Amino acid sequence: MTNTVNCISPIDGSVFATRDTLDLATATEAVAAAKAAQVAWAARPLDERIALVRAGVAAIGDMNDEIVPEIAHQMGRPVRYGGEFGGFNERASHMADIAAEALAPIIVEDSANFDRKIKRVPHGVVLVVAPWNYPYMTAINAVAPALIAGNAVVLKHASQTLLVGERLAKAFHSVGIPADVFQNMFLGHDTTSELIANGAFSFVNFTGSVGGGKAMERAAAGTFTGIGLELGGKDPGYVMEDADLDAAVDTLIDGAMFNSGQCCCGIERIYVVDSLYDAFVEKAVAIVSAYKLGNPLDPETTLGPMAHLRFAEEVRMQTAEAIKAGAKALIDPKLFPNDGGAYLMPQILVDVDHSMRVMRDESFGPVVGIMRVKDDEEAITLMNDSEFGLTASLWTRDYERAERIGDQLETGTVFTNRADYLDPALCWTGCKNTGRGGGLSAIGYHNLTRPKSYHIKKA
């Protein structure tokens, strides 16, 4: 019996794409082909692998005019923002640029008596499980360095963005990356778990929910398969008394609302020092009130639907619970008459506290709570009062103060006067329920390879 997976477009609830999933036997054969092909791929010169990946990335750029409306249909991001190729290319290009240095052997001794060194060798077959919210950029974070390092890659993309893996496969295969070396597979959850449990992969890179990460760990239990996990987030912003107020409001509110709030490192809670609180809130309300919620294919739309009705309903529930518990909603619903279904109006909440789910649970939608704080100590306590730890955004002109605060935060990245940006030269990592491991940077290569030591005594 053939199972199918559907992409339901948030634009109108219609089925945008349907694909058949592989059964376990067929998928196992495909992974075996990847394992066989990986040996020859890893034997190719590094420069050759780099050039092929760069060419594949450029081929995606050539498809961008087709990709942008596809993204809108699949997960609702407005076409006015032009897709993801800028970040996609930046990340892949940086990893290509640093590959030779990051993958170079560590020379311990090269003398007349001994040659001692540590090489970095590929794991073998890497499974990349990518999410729908930034479907190209999140996938390339692992796909590009994994291929460059000499691994074969199996990509399992989210059902909400079914066409992305096909696009990547078409691009990479068109430039000469062997079909068995990079494979896009449509897999059900059970088949994916069985493959992992059977030791089909040497490494698994998963970006998604906490529940999904737990399922990956359960599947891998006892196999000793390496796993990299980027899971939930509840990223805070903290605005200090010496902050550039306009820049802080513009950046933090954009970080909270862009992509309908569906950003891994989006801002989900904001703490503002008492002296700037009223001005910050006033400016934030003005920005959000000017958004245009609507069909993402309309170039005037600045806020599209959430990717799925159930995601919007979760944010509505969190917001309603907070208001019932005493929070105040500041955005006028009359400004967003088309609110309904997957189309969710943005909202700013004040008079919130950490007893409310909207300040604790991941919202992943266009809502943000703003709290007044008296000092750094209170802000640090509140920022750390979370089961997640991906990024934190600090706003001050005192950079030493920011670093002192950052040293006390339980987070993967500390931003100062910036937010919601992934720098490919820095390790993308998290702590607590956000996961473990690290992508991009030289450390990303370390996670996608294993060390192999050579101890040569010269005769």
Side-chain angles (χ1 to χ4, degrees):
M1 178 179 173
T2 300
N3 293 317
T4 60
V5 59
N6 297 320
C7 167
I8 307 298
S9 175
I11 292 178
D12 56 10
S14 64
V15 177
F16 182 66
T18 299
R19 296 292 185 270
D20 293 334
T21 59
L22 300 181
D23 60 32
L24 180 61
T26 306
T28 301
E29 289 178 7
V31 176
K35 187 174 183 179
Q38 184 269 333
V39 176
W41 175 250
R44 292 196 186 193
L46 175 60
D47 287 349
E48 187 177 320
R49 298 197 302 268
I50 291 171
L52 286 168
V53 170
R54 287 190 192 274
V57 168
I60 286 290
D62 293 339
M63 301 176 189
N64 200 54
D65 289 345
E66 302 165 55
I67 285 173
V68 170
E70 276 183 0
I71 292 175
H73 279 289
Q74 290 175 94
M75 54 74 62
R77 187 183 312 125
V79 295
R80 69 179 289 135
Y81 298 118
E84 300 177 21
F85 185 68
F88 177 90
N89 183 53
E90 178 187 31
R91 297 174 188 188
S93 297
H94 178 78
M95 296 308 286
D97 290 344
I98 69 168
E101 182 178 355
L103 294 169
I106 299 171
I107 306 300
V108 177
E109 180 180 358
D110 184 9
S111 69
N113 298 318
F114 287 97
D115 181 1
R116 294 185 295 145
K117 60 193 172 190
I118 305 165
K119 289 186 177 181
R120 302 226 58 99
V121 299
H123 288 300
V125 181
V126 172
L127 172 65
V128 176
V129 184
W132 50 263
N133 62 320
Y134 282 90
Y136 284 89
M137 289 198 290
T138 53
I140 205 64
N141 288 351
V143 168
L147 287 172
I148 288 171
N151 297 286
V153 172
V154 170
L155 174 64
K156 177 192 180 298
H157 222 299
S159 59
Q160 195 65 48
T161 41
L162 278 183
L163 305 186
V164 174
E166 290 182 334
R167 286 280 183 187
L168 289 168
K170 181 179 179 181
F172 287 144
H173 299 162
S174 73
V175 301
I177 295 175
D180 286 339
V181 168
F182 178 82
Q183 298 186 49
N184 174 60
M185 292 190 191
F186 300 109
L187 300 170
H189 295 319
D190 290 346
T191 302
T192 304
S193 293
E194 288 186 73
L195 288 168
I196 295 171
N198 292 340
F201 306 107
S202 304
F203 190 83
V204 177
N205 188 279
F206 174 80
T207 304
S209 68
V210 173
K214 289 179 178 179
M216 293 287 166
E217 287 201 331
R218 282 194 297 268
T223 67
F224 310 119
T225 302
I227 301 180
L229 301 170
E230 186 204 323
L231 310 175
K234 194 72 183 174
D235 292 7
Y238 172 35
V239 182
M240 296 167 234
E241 65 277 0
D242 65 340
D244 180 331
L245 180 61
D246 287 336
V249 176
D250 288 346
T251 304
L252 291 174
I253 293 303
D254 182 68
M257 301 295 173
F258 187 78
N259 206 38
S260 296
Q262 299 167 131
C263 301
C264 299
C265 56
I267 296 296
E268 297 219 353
R269 49 200 174 106
I270 300 173
Y271 307 99
V272 184
V273 71
D274 186 74
S275 61
L276 294 182
Y277 178 84
D278 291 336
F280 184 99
V281 170
E282 181 181 357
K283 289 174 180 289
V285 169
I287 291 171
V288 174
S289 297
Y291 289 160
K292 303 297 181 185
L293 175 66
N295 189 317
L297 298 173
D298 181 349
E300 297 300 311
T301 294
T302 58
L303 203 68
M306 294 193 69
H308 197 283
L309 172 61
R310 71 177 185 274
F311 305 151
E313 290 302 324
E314 169 62 15
V315 180
R316 288 190 176 101
M317 283 192 290
Q318 288 188 20
T319 303
E321 289 170 13
I323 293 170
K324 186 176 181 180
K328 182 179 180 182
L330 299 184
I331 304 302
D332 187 350
K334 294 177 183 177
L335 297 172
F336 300 94
N338 53 346
D339 177 84
Y343 290 84
L344 178 62
M345 67 167 282
Q347 191 54 268
I348 292 173
L349 299 173
V350 294
D351 299 335
V352 290
D353 60 52
H354 280 216
S355 71
M356 302 171 182
R357 283 204 306 133
V358 77
M359 296 299 285
R360 296 193 325 271
D361 293 356
E362 186 171 38
S363 302
F364 220 60
V367 61
V368 67
I370 306 177
M371 286 181 67
R372 188 191 305 264
V373 295
K374 63 181 182 294
D375 56 25
D376 293 349
E377 183 179 1
E378 183 182 13
I380 291 166
T381 299
L382 289 168
M383 284 189 281
N384 282 339
D385 183 27
S386 173
E387 65 185 61
F388 302 110
L390 184 57
T391 80
S393 177
L394 308 178
W395 289 81
T396 176
R397 291 179 169 87
D398 186 339
Y399 311 123
E400 291 182 359
R401 176 186 180 188
E403 189 159 353
R404 287 197 304 272
I405 293 171
D407 288 344
Q408 299 174 69
L409 297 180
E410 298 161 352
T411 190
T413 294
V414 179
F415 291 111
T416 300
N417 302 327
R418 195 165 199 183
D420 191 26
Y421 171 70
L422 197 159
D423 182 345
L426 298 176
C427 183
W428 190 243
T429 186
C431 61
K432 300 194 282 190
N433 279 3
T434 291
R436 66 181 188 192
L440 300 173
S441 76
I443 292 172
Y445 275 118
H446 294 173
N447 286 326
L448 290 165
T449 56
R450 65 176 180 86
K452 186 175 185 179
S453 294
Y454 288 76
H455 190 135
I456 301 169
K457 182 179 181 181
K458 296 179 180 179

